[in-house]
């Protein structure tokens, strides 16, 4: 049974990679890869991921300060605004 789950997982990963290549080619044609908004949004996603992992690690040992939660919320709002700006600038 484990091999069936592993096979399904790798099949899903293969399918997602194929879709990602198609999406990357589509976005490259529009020129979105050169946009500073695109790179800022990618950097904010990386910062948000790091912050959430830090919060998860800290939560096991002590309470998490409200500043970290507010920072995560502010990054999420900024990402939503950047996504809207990208969709407005590059309607793909």
């Amino acid at each position: 049974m484990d091999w069936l789950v592993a096979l399904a997982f790798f099949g899903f990963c293969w399918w997602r990679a194929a879709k990602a290549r198609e999406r990357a080619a589509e976005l490259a044609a529009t020129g979105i890869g050169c946009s500073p908004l695109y790179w800022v949004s990618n950097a904010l996603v990386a910062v948000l991921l790091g912050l959430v992992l830090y919060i998860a690690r800290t939560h096991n040992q002590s309470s998490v300060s409200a500043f970290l939660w507010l920072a995560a919320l502010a990054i999420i709002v900024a990402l939503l605004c950047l996504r809207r700006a990208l969709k407005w600038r590059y309607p793909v």
Side-chain angles (χ1 to χ4, degrees):
M1 183 66 172
D2 292 338
W3 63 269
L4 186 60
V5 172
L7 185 64
F9 174 73
F10 286 121
F12 175 74
C13 288
W14 183 280
W15 178 71
R16 289 296 298 164
K19 289 291 183 183
R21 278 191 292 276
E22 291 175 10
R23 180 77 175 151
E26 182 179 310
L27 291 177
T30 62
I32 195 170
C34 300
S35 172
L37 289 176
Y38 177 74
W39 291 108
V40 168
S41 67
N42 285 343
L44 276 178
V45 167
V47 168
L48 181 64
L49 180 63
L51 183 63
V52 168
L53 290 174
Y54 178 74
I55 288 173
R57 181 175 173 265
T58 305
H59 181 67
N60 289 336
Q61 299 162 355
S62 64
S63 64
V64 179
S65 70
F67 173 73
L68 293 176
W69 290 112
L70 290 175
L73 182 64
I75 291 173
I76 290 170
V77 169
L79 281 170
L80 290 173
C81 292
L82 278 172
R83 182 173 185 260
R84 177 59 58 192
L86 279 169
K87 286 210 171 269
W88 175 72
R89 176 70 177 94
Y90 301 100
V92 177

